[in-house]
Amino acid sequence: MFRITVLSLLSHRNGIKGHQDLAVRVPVAPGGASSGVREVSLKAGSRIAFCLLLLLSIAPHCLPQAPIITTYAGPPLPTDGAQAATQAFYYLTSVIPDGVGGFYFSDESQNKIYRVSADGTLRLIAGSAMGYSGDGGSATAAQLNFPTGIAVDAVGNLYIADTFNNRIRKVTPTGVISTVAGNGIVGFSGDGLHPCYETGKTGVQSTT
C-alpha cells in the first residue's frame, strides 16, 4: 500500500500570506533495494501541496462516524406513572374494568398491557417487547406477541390472549406471568387434555 504520512505544516514565511509548506513522509521504491521511507518538504503553492491540504480539509468529513439515531417526529413511548391522558398509544385492542374504578387495556403494536387507575395514573402490567419469554418471572419483563383479548378473574388474575404466540398468559396480582394454555403451535387439538396442550387461542372472555 502506498501511503503518505503528513509530519507537520510549516509556515511559509517568504510566500503569499496564509500559504504553508508541508513536511511529509513517503515510501521510496517499496520492495526494492533502496526501499525505505524519506521525508520530503513540499513548498507552499505547489500543486502537490495544494492537493494534500485539500485532502486534509475534507478527510474528517469522509471518515466513518459512530451511528447516532435521532427522533424527528412521533411521540415517545408511554411513561409508566404518568397521567394516561397525556400519553400516546397506537393499536388498542381490548379494554376491561379492573373493578375498583380503573381499567386494563392492551396495546397490540407495543406488545404491552397497561392499567389505568381511578386517578388516571398509567401502569405497565405486562410486556417488554415482541417475542415469547418470561414465564415464572416479572410480567413487565416478559415478551408478548400481539396481545389482543384480556380478562380478569374473581381473584384478580389477568389473562392475556398472546395471539401470535398461540398461548394464553396469566399474570397474578403479584405480577408473575405464566402460560396456562397453548403450546405455540397453530391448530385445533387437545380436547380433554391439560389446557397447556391446546392451541390456536386468539381471544378470551371475562370469567367474572
Side-chain angles (χ1 to χ4, degrees), residues 16-207:
I16 299 175
K17 183 178 181 181
H19 280 198
Q20 294 176 309
D21 286 349
L22 289 178
V24 300
R25 180 178 293 160
V26 298
V28 178
S34 59
S35 63
V37 175
R38 178 177 299 173
E39 294 182 10
V40 179
S41 178
L42 301 176
K43 292 298 182 181
S46 70
R47 290 183 178 180
I48 296 177
F50 173 79
C51 290
L52 285 175
L53 286 171
L54 179 62
L55 286 173
L56 286 171
S57 66
I58 66 174
H61 304 288
C62 299
L63 295 175
Q65 303 294 319
I68 299 174
I69 187 168
T70 303
T71 299
Y72 287 97
L77 292 175
T79 301
D80 200 43
Q83 284 294 296
T86 67
Q87 303 302 293
F89 305 100
Y90 179 55
Y91 199 82
L92 309 183
T93 53
S94 185
V95 180
I96 59 169
D98 64 3
V100 289
F103 59 90
Y104 296 92
F105 67 92
S106 58
D107 190 325
E108 187 174 296
S109 67
Q110 293 181 22
N111 299 289
K112 292 179 171 66
I113 308 297
Y114 293 97
R115 181 180 184 180
V116 178
S117 62
D119 65 358
T121 302
L122 180 73
R123 295 294 181 191
L124 176 65
I125 300 301
S128 62
M130 181 184 292
Y132 175 71
S133 69
D135 279 357
S138 173
T140 56
Q143 293 180 330
L144 305 174
N145 197 344
F146 282 76
T148 51
I150 53 178
V152 178
D153 67 16
V155 294
N157 294 306
L158 176 71
Y159 296 86
I160 305 165
D162 197 351
T163 305
F164 290 156
N165 282 327
N166 301 292
R167 291 175 168 94
I168 302 296
R169 314 290 289 277
K170 173 184 174 181
V171 180
T172 67
T174 58
V176 177
I177 193 170
S178 61
T179 296
V180 295
N183 60 8
I185 300 174
V186 177
F188 177 78
S189 65
D191 282 354
L193 300 177
H194 189 279
C196 283
Y197 290 101
E198 296 182 18
T199 60
K201 302 297 183 183
T202 58
V204 292
Q205 298 294 323
S206 175
T207 59

